[in-house]
Amino acid sequence: MGEINLQTPEGRAEALRRMLTIRAFDSEAGDRFADGEIPGFVHLYIGEEAVGVGTCAALEDDDYIASTHRGHGHCIAKGLDPKYMMAELYGKAEGYCNGKGGSMHIADVDAGMLGANGIVGAGPPLATGAALSIDYQDRDQVAVGFLGDGAVAQGQVHEAINLAATWDLPAIFVVENNQYGEATPVDKQHNVDNLSDTAQAHDIPGLTVDGMDVTAVAEAIGEARARARNGDGPTLVEAETYRYRGHYEGDEEPYRDDEEIERWQDRDPIESFRDRLIDRGELTAEEFDELEAEIEAEIEAAVEYAQEADEPMPDEAYDDMFAETPPEIERFATAARTDGGERTASSRSSSEPRSDGGRPGGDRR
Amino acid sequence: MTAQTEAELETETETMTVREAIRQALREELDRDEDVYLMGEDIGLFGGVLEVTGDLYEEFGEERVRDTPISEAGFMGAATGAAATGTRPVVELMFSDFAGVSMEQIMNQMAKMRYMFGGKAEMPVTVRTTEGGGMGAASQHSGTIHTWIGHFPGLKAVTPGTAAAAKGLTKAAIRSDDPVFVFENKMIYEQKGAVPTDEEFTVPIGEAAVEREGEDATVVATQRLVGESLQTAESLAGDVDTEVIDARSLYPLDTETIVESVRKTGRLIVADESPLSYGTHAEIVARVQEEAFFSLDAPIQRVGTPDTHVPFSPPLEQEVLPDGDDVREAIERVT
Ligand SMILES: Cc1ncc(C[n+]2csc(CCOP(=O)(O)OP(=O)(O)O)c2C)c(N)n1
């Protein structure tokens, strides 16, 4: 079972590859953001790779995930292509959202990825909804809602968990406790010792696992998945982890010290997994270095692709508002509106459907 | 009315950014009134994600500059309850888009409590929040929702376009016994202007300001578009003599100052970043038509965000965001 079976050497190699891809992608994204090539806000996942990869390893291809503002890792773990992800970060037409979403909103519903999200705590309700569809249509899937430790304070998160629990929906809620909500430490935001304690209020299992250990995460999610598929409802899994970078790129991090960061880095999810594979004789140090170099080259190629990709055409700003575009979208800014005058030139009449379904790069899936 | 109120104070001014002006307003009000305190996400030790609260945490301590968990419905509701029971909370809602998560507390509690209790509740709460596109922050962090808030009976909405207005309105909001939303456009935090230093300086809620006098056309602008309209007016000077008004307060709205100007110029352009349909523009237009219809020499023009969300990619974002060029084109269409 599973998209990546961590019981097999191939599965473990794939998990390592995905964790490395996330790290390389995000390091590069950080650099490119610092260079001013990527606009907006960028929140990196470095340090937390084992949570996304461990979770998705225990999922089937057609299971759903709903992500957070720190979504790059979830996308890669779910199998999205770094090339189109990077293009989205660059705001290019070839990006997953045609340049409309950017870092915080990368989505690929066909791949079961219901979007990174700019609203803290918005993922769990979406996951509950996906689980409802699955249950309603009797499909053999589950839905995972990721959330941060900070998001546990959001009311809508608890409403989502309560609904899923009450209706025994096939949902899993994964709290990525990376110790901070922006600049505020977790113990200043919550009164419980373990965030998984909140599961008690909904009478569902809640457990806390080592989020620096990809196998531990995958095991917990595997059990949660089996439970969900068995009709026994949701599970809340708290993964204890750490983000190495600031909350967003450019964050000066006055709220923590290097010593704390180093303490967590000693348990780095990638290095510890690599060492384990080497101990098992499944990997040599040279092979690891080769893999790392190969992935870095892949990410560099993704950057080149993104740099060279087309900018969206300004008129695309008016696409995708509705399934049935109304006769006109109001955009008076450049349209002369004189008494009885005509609105022509720049006023938009209902746009003709594009042959590719409105998606440049629509062939990428 | 408008400019006189400030002029009457005959106060010294100091040049500072909009961000500094707001911080100064907060500092002065924290100093002046012990019942005033600030709350919001990361506003304390961190100084706020847009750095508005800065070092106020060091100055006033964690009781008065308090960090909240990320729970907008929770703290918006808490502020409502606190205001009704004797204190004067000033909430920072990091991005106005997040009002979505706290709307129940805003629309059914904060806005209605005094009314439903027969006037037997005070609601001295201030909500400061950021609006607008221009940072490539995409649709969930670039919204302009002041129309929404201005539309709810029981809430007041102000939109400073200059540093002085930012300071004066923030102070007036904190001193008001009504819920006031102060909508700060995030692209003008670095914009500088002369700001009165008198601690009693406030900008009365409900008064517009004529920022530039002119004879040929009136531009009623808000927030970022005030500065851009002023620049546009200068660039057109000689051809068109444009009057620029900073509406400053959307609810209540200073209809009188606007109407008076339109009676003089006969032409009106409304420039506001919110979406065009059913919004702030429409309200200003409606009032002017009611009171000055026969003074109009040309159709009224609206400059705003088309009815789309604010996209991420810079070329798309630039496409939808209104700017000084749009204001210029609108002026040229009617003069
Ligand atoms: C409703 C809402 N409130 C506030 C924010 C601003 N914000 C973005 S990320 C973040 C911190 C989230 O912390 P956490 O849930 O622990 O996730 P982490 O960043 O640690 O992954 C905040 C406050 C937001 N995007 N949405």
Side-chain angles (χ1 to χ4, degrees):
Chain A
M1 181 203 108
E3 200 186 6
I4 309 173
N5 187 350
L6 287 181
Q7 309 299 329
T8 66
E10 298 74 35
R12 288 188 284 270
E14 182 57 24
L16 180 67
R17 166 184 284 278
R18 289 203 188 177
M19 288 200 287
L20 273 170
T21 307
I22 294 171
R23 186 156 299 187
F25 183 93
D26 266 5
S27 311
E28 195 64 31
D31 291 348
R32 298 293 135 217
F33 178 80
D35 288 349
E37 286 182 33
I38 294 172
F41 312 140
V42 168
H43 308 81
L44 302 184
Y45 199 61
I46 295 173
E48 308 183 36
E49 294 90 347
V51 186
V53 173
T55 300
C56 293
L59 300 181
E60 299 288 351
D61 271 343
D62 62 350
D63 285 338
Y64 295 104
I65 64 169
S67 173
T68 68
H69 59 285
R70 205 176 294 289
H72 306 168
H74 303 145
C75 291
I76 291 171
K78 194 75 177 83
L80 268 60
D81 189 330
K83 208 163 78 170
Y84 304 119
M85 287 174 59
M86 197 61 90
E88 187 58 37
L89 262 60
Y90 272 75
K92 296 300 180 71
E94 277 94 334
Y96 271 110
C97 312
N98 306 349
K100 291 228 181 65
S103 163
M104 261 190 300
H105 309 91
I106 300 176
D108 185 6
V109 176
D110 294 346
M113 165 61 191
L114 303 177
N117 212 305
I119 302 298
V120 170
L126 299 176
T128 293
L132 180 59
S133 297
I134 295 166
D135 187 56
Y136 192 76
Q137 298 183 335
D138 226 354
R139 283 146 42 181
D140 187 21
Q141 294 158 286
V142 301
V144 172
F146 285 101
L147 64 153
D149 46 282
V152 173
Q154 282 284 2
Q156 60 174 331
V157 165
H158 298 281
E159 295 186 23
I161 298 175
N162 185 55
L163 264 184
T166 303
W167 293 343
D168 290 328
L169 298 180
I172 302 168
F173 300 98
V174 180
V175 179
E176 303 184 308
N177 181 355
N178 64 11
Q179 316 302 323
Y180 290 91
E182 280 200 12
T184 308
V186 64
D187 62 359
K188 292 227 169 195
Q189 302 210 42
H190 302 285
N191 197 37
V192 288
D193 289 335
N194 284 321
L195 297 175
S196 57
D197 290 350
T198 56
Q200 286 172 19
H202 304 288
D203 196 21
I204 61 169
L207 63 153
T208 296
V209 299
D210 181 358
M212 304 302 263
D213 179 350
V214 66
T215 323
V217 176
E219 265 168 28
I221 302 297
E223 279 164 33
R225 191 181 189 286
R227 196 181 117 75
R229 284 309 325 142
N230 204 27
D232 294 333
T235 303
L236 179 71
V237 178
E238 174 193 14
E240 289 187 311
T241 180
Y242 198 72
R243 68 167 149 76
Y244 293 180
R245 308 282 277 238
H247 169 62
Y248 50 81
E249 288 307 280
D251 175 2
E252 283 167 20
E253 307 176 54
Y255 48 85
R256 64 179 183 182
D257 53 37
D258 290 347
E259 191 261 331
E260 179 183 293
I261 303 174
E262 280 157 25
R263 201 156 17 93
W264 280 90
Q265 283 177 338
D266 283 345
R267 299 169 46 206
D268 185 78
I270 297 180
E271 282 172 22
S272 60
F273 194 56
R274 173 200 62 194
D275 293 348
R276 248 189 292 162
L277 297 190
I278 291 176
D279 285 349
R280 276 168 169 266
E282 289 176 17
L283 182 80
T284 65
E286 296 75 57
E287 282 167 348
F288 178 83
D289 293 344
E290 277 164 31
L291 180 63
E292 204 173 23
E294 188 188 308
I295 287 167
E296 272 163 22
E298 186 196 340
I299 299 302
E300 268 166 44
V303 169
E304 268 164 45
Y305 176 81
Q307 285 168 334
E308 278 156 34
D310 291 334
E311 299 270 22
M313 299 298 288
D315 242 31
E316 288 172 28
Y318 309 98
D319 290 346
D320 306 325
M321 286 297 293
F322 300 99
E324 285 176 46
T325 306
E328 57 180 31
I329 281 190
E330 294 292 3
R331 44 186 294 207
F332 310 154
T334 55
R337 281 219 132 180
T338 47
D339 265 349
E342 288 185 14
R343 301 191 57 203
T344 46
S346 53
S347 69
R348 186 182 191 77
S349 59
S350 88
S351 60
E352 308 95 59
R354 295 161 58 144
S355 55
D356 59 0
R359 263 194 203 96
D363 58 342
R364 65 175 161 254
R365 264 163 225 116
Chain B
M1 346 168 336
T2 63
Q4 290 100 298
T5 326
E6 288 134 62
E8 275 162 17
L9 270 171
E10 278 183 33
T11 172
E12 305 268 300
T13 63
E14 195 184 310
T15 301
M16 65 180 81
T17 64
V18 167
R19 178 185 281 116
E20 285 161 351
I22 299 167
R23 192 183 303 158
Q24 195 173 75
L26 297 173
R27 179 183 292 115
E28 287 174 7
E29 295 307 299
L30 281 164
D31 258 337
R32 191 184 59 84
D33 184 350
E34 287 237 316
D35 288 340
V36 172
Y37 51 92
L38 316 183
M39 60 186 190
E41 292 161 11
D42 295 306
I43 66 165
L45 191 57
F46 196 58
V49 291
L50 291 151
E51 297 162 36
V52 176
T53 46
D55 47 11
L56 295 176
Y57 177 83
E58 281 77 36
E59 280 174 61
F60 294 94
E62 62 179 5
E63 290 285 301
R64 302 196 64 205
V65 182
R66 43 178 75 219
D67 283 317
T68 61
I70 311 161
S71 42
E72 287 79 4
F75 66 71
M76 206 63 91
T80 301
T85 52
T87 57
R88 309 184 79 84
V90 181
V91 178
E92 175 172 310
L93 179 66
M94 200 184 268
F95 289 86
S96 60
D97 309 72
F98 309 161
V101 236
S102 51
M103 216 52 199
E104 155 57 22
Q105 290 297 329
I106 295 173
M107 66 180 272
N108 284 321
Q109 314 306 327
M110 189 189 288
K112 295 180 182 170
M113 212 172 213
R114 173 192 296 270
Y115 181 80
M116 292 193 305
F117 291 7
K120 296 194 201 78
E122 297 293 302
M123 194 49 63
V125 56
T126 300
V127 180
R128 294 181 34 246
T129 188
T130 62
E131 288 194 300
M135 299 178 73
S139 307
Q140 291 172 337
H141 289 72
S142 304
T144 303
I145 67 154
H146 50 241
T147 295
W148 220 28
I149 296 296
H151 183 68
F152 274 113
L155 302 176
K156 294 182 176 170
V158 301
T159 49
T162 63
K167 179 176 176 188
L169 286 168
T170 303
K171 288 169 68 82
I174 296 173
R175 295 182 188 195
S176 166
D177 284 335
D178 286 317
V180 182
F181 281 66
V182 185
F183 290 101
E184 303 165 6
N185 181 285
K186 54 174 100 70
M187 299 313 286
I188 64 169
Y189 279 127
E190 294 290 319
Q191 175 186 305
K192 288 191 174 158
V195 177
T197 50
D198 187 319
E199 289 182 11
E200 284 312 304
F201 162 74
T202 59
V203 169
I205 293 166
E207 285 191 7
V210 179
E211 291 289 334
R212 182 186 196 280
E213 293 194 10
E215 298 295 325
D216 301 338
T218 300
V219 177
V220 175
T222 62
Q223 299 177 321
R224 175 173 59 81
L225 291 171
V226 173
E228 300 214 7
S229 298
L230 285 169
Q231 278 173 15
T232 300
E234 287 312 320
S235 74
L236 289 173
D239 295 332
V240 188
D241 186 16
T242 310
E243 180 142 311
V244 179
I245 295 176
D246 179 359
R248 297 202 298 200
S249 175
L250 299 182
Y251 197 90
L253 179 70
D254 183 355
T255 314
E256 211 181 309
T257 297
I258 297 169
V259 164
E260 207 175 287
S261 173
V262 173
R263 289 210 173 107
K264 176 173 65 171
T265 63
R267 291 177 169 81
L268 175 65
I269 294 96
V270 184
D272 174 76
E273 193 175 316
S274 64
L276 284 162
S277 286
Y278 303 100
T280 295
H281 307 82
E283 184 59 33
I284 295 173
V285 170
R287 292 189 190 202
V288 168
Q289 308 231 44
E290 278 170 0
E291 302 206 12
F293 182 78
F294 294 108
S295 302
L296 287 167
D297 296 326
I300 298 173
Q301 302 292 311
R302 290 183 268 174
V303 172
T305 303
D307 299 342
T308 64
H309 302 296
V310 180
F312 165 73
S313 185
L316 297 181
E317 190 180 43
Q318 276 158 27
E319 163 70 19
V320 307
L321 287 187
D323 59 17
D325 288 342
D326 297 316
V327 175
R328 182 173 40 72
E329 283 168 27
I331 295 172
E332 284 168 351
R333 283 200 293 275
V334 292
T335 54

